[in-house]
Amino acid sequence: MPSWIGRFLSSSVGKKTVMALTGLSLVGFLVVHLLGNFTLYTGGIEGFNEYAAKLEDLGGLLMAAEVGLFAIFVIHMGLALRIARENKRARQENYRIRATMGNSTAASRSMAITGMIVGLFLIVHIIDFRVPTLFGEIDNIGEAVVARLSSPVGATIYLIGILALGLHLRHAIQSAFQSLGLENPNWSPLLRLGAQTLAWALAVGFASFPIYCLLTTGAASAAAN
Amino acid sequence: MTASATDDLTLTVHVWCQAGPDQPGDFVTSEVSVSPDTSFLEMLDCLNEQRMAGGQEAIAFDHDCREGICGACSLVIDGKPHGPEQETTTCQLHMRTFNDGDAIYVEPFRAKGFPVLRDLVVDRSAFDRIQQAGGYVSVNTGSAPDAHAVPVPKPAAEEAFDAAACIGCGACVAACPNASAMLFVAAKVSQLALLPQGAPERDARALSMVEAMDGEGFGNCTNHFECAAACPKAIPVTHIARLNREFLRSSLMPRS
Ligand code: HEM
Ligand code: SF4
Ligand code: FES
C-alpha cells in the first residue's frame, strides 16, 4: 500500500472523509430501502411480498450488496468509536461551567449516542426479519412485518430506533458535505436545505410504517368488535 | 442618588486556581468592586492587588497587548472563551457587560493540547509548532511588491485577509466540544492557499500542518461550529471546508 494512504487514513481529516463517504453511502441505502418499503402502501402486503421476492431473486448479487453494506457499517462504526474516544481524550478535564456558544445542536452533540442506538436497533431489525428470511423461517414477509409493527412493543422499538436515526441524520448529512469540503456560496444554502429535507423525509418516511400498522390494525380490531 | 453608569459594580468572582501542571485545582471565591469602565483583565488586576494586600499570592493569568491583537488572554468566562460578548477578546471585554451582584466563573482553556501551567495560564505553544510545520512562505519574498505587480483577484484578497485576522488565541479549541484546532489551522492554511505567494507550497503545507495538529492531541472536528461563534475575529467555518479540500487534494491529487 502506498504510504500516502496510511497517512491519509490515520489523519483526522482523512478519518472524517471516510466517515462522510460511508455515512452518505448508508444514506443512499436508506433511500433505496425506504422506496422499496413504500410498496406496502402502493401494493399492500402482496405488493410488498412481490418486491421482497424480486430482491431474493437477485441471489448472489443481493448477497454481495449485503456484504458490502455490512462492511460499510463496520467501517463507519469503527471510525465513529475511534473518533469519539480520541475526542474524549482531547479534553481530559471538563469545564466546571459549561455553556454552548449556540451553534451546536442536540443532534450534533449526541451523534455517538444516536449512532449507538441506531446500531443496536439495526441488530434487532436484522434478527426480526433478515435472519429468519435467510433461513426460510418466514413464508410471508409482508405479514410478518405488519404483525411486528402493529404490536405496541414492536412499534415502540421501531419508533425509538427511527427517532435516533432521524436525529443522527439531522446533523450527519450536512456535516458530511462540510467534511468533504463541499462548500460554495452558491451551493451551500441549497445543500443544507437538501440535507435537512432528506433527513426529515427519511425519518418521517420510516416512522410512517409502525404508525400505519398501529392505526390500521387498531381500526381492524375496532371494526371486528 | 440614582445609579449612574459609573457606580462601581460589586461582583463575586470565582477564579480557577491550580498550583501547577497536573495539580488538582478549584475555584477561589473573592468579592471585588470595580468601575464598569474597567476591562476584564483590569478587574483581575484589582483582584490581585486586593489579594496581595491581604498577603495572598496573585492569581496567574496570561495577557500581553490588551488591545485584542496578540491572542494571549486565554480565559473561559462563565463557560464561554473570551466571555459573553461576540467578536471580543477577554482584554477588550468591559465590566459593563456584567450587572452589579453578578457571580462570575473564570476557568482556563481546557484541552489536552493546551496544558494548564498554573491557575488560568495554559501553554499554547502547540499552535506555534503547528505554525512552524508550514504556516509560512519559506522563501524570502522581499519587500512589499508594487501594487498590482502580483495579480490577486479582489474576492481572494478579501478572503485571505479575513483568514489572516486570526490571532492564534485558541478560543476555537477552548469552545470546541472535541477540543479540535481545525478553525485555527484552517485560517492559516486558507490565508496562504488563496494567495499566489502561498501557492508553491500549498500541498506540503496542508499535509504537514494537519499532521502537526493531530500530533499535538487536538480532537477531530465533527462540525459543531462552536469555534466560529467563539472566535474573537469571527473566522467562518467556510475556511474549515477549504482546509478539508486542500488536504483531500494534497493527499489524493498532489499538484507536484
Ligand atoms: C443507517 C445508519 C447510519 C447512517 C445513515 C449514518 C450516517 C452518518 C453520516 C452521513 C455522518 C456524517 C459524517 C461527517 O460528518 O463527515 C455520520 C456521523 C457519525 N456517525 Fe453515523 N450513520 C449511521 C449509523 C451509525 C452508527 C451505527 C454509529 C454507531 C456508533 C454511528 C456513529 C456516528 C458518529 C459518532 C458520527 C459523528 C461524526 C460526526 O459528527 O461527524 N453512525 N453518520
Ligand atoms: S480562529 Fe479565531 S478563535 Fe481560533 S485561534 Fe484564530 S482568532 Fe482565535
Ligand atoms: S491581551 Fe492581547 S489579545 Fe487580549
Side-chain angles (χ1 to χ4, degrees), chain A residues 12 87 90-91 101 104 108 181, chain B residues 110 112 176 214 220 224 226:
Chain A
S12 56
N87 287 356
R91 177 161 294 124
M101 300 305 298
S104 68
S108 77
Chain B
R110 296 196 191 276
K112 187 178 166 213
C176 176
D214 292 344
N220 305 278
H224 290 286
E226 293 282 273

Side-chain angles (χ1 to χ4, degrees), chain A residues 155-204:
Chain A
T156 308
I157 293 176
Y158 275 74
L159 284 174
I160 291 174
I162 292 161
L163 180 71
L165 178 69
L167 271 176
H168 197 74
L169 295 184
R170 204 188 101 70
H171 178 67
I173 305 178
Q174 50 91 30
S175 168
F177 293 147
Q178 168 84 1
S179 298
L180 295 172
L182 297 176
E183 189 284 323
N184 170 283
N186 285 1
W187 284 99
S188 291
L190 294 174
L191 278 180
R192 265 197 301 276
L193 185 70
Q196 294 306 328
T197 312
L198 185 57
W200 272 102
L202 285 169
V204 171

